[in-house]
Amino acid sequence: MRMLLLGGLAAASLVGVAHAASSEGAMLVLKAPPAKAELILEGAMWRCTGTVCKAPAVKALPAVRSCRKVVAELGAVSAFTWRGEALDAAGVDECNTAAKP
């Protein structure tokens, strides 16, 4: 019985770690493939495959502000998620419009 309980606790802790890691990262979908497949921006390492780019860990900044900085480097996005917060269509439009290369 103890082994079953310990196994369940271990599994639950692994799920928690995986969730915490994903809530510290970011993901975006570009409208066109980027010129660079990798980019370091404000200490975050972005890796792109096709039009999807991911960073496993990013700073705790506002999502729209961060989106503008990334868009200025990589190009316009059609989707943007920052530390578990996905921008809605209006936020994505604002990000693309306000980004300065």
Side-chain angles (χ1 to χ4, degrees):
M1 184 63 149
R2 286 185 186 186
M3 291 302 286
L4 181 60
L5 179 60
L6 290 175
L9 289 174
S13 67
L14 289 175
V15 169
V17 169
H19 183 267
S22 66
S23 67
E24 292 180 3
M27 191 275 304
L28 59 86
V29 178
L30 295 165
K31 291 186 176 183
K36 324 173 206 181
E38 293 185 349
L39 168 74
I40 297 175
L41 186 62
E42 291 195 344
M45 178 63 170
W46 288 87
R47 288 194 172 92
C48 302
T49 304
T51 58
V52 177
C53 301
K54 297 179 182 180
V58 293
K59 292 181 179 178
L61 300 170
V64 173
R65 177 177 177 256
S66 302
C67 182
R68 289 181 194 142
K69 290 184 173 213
V70 173
V71 166
E73 292 291 326
L74 294 176
V77 296
S78 57
F80 188 85
T81 301
W82 186 264
R83 297 181 64 89
E85 177 187 345
L87 293 183
D88 60 10
V92 169
D93 286 343
E94 177 186 345
C95 171
N96 287 327
T97 302
K100 297 176 184 171

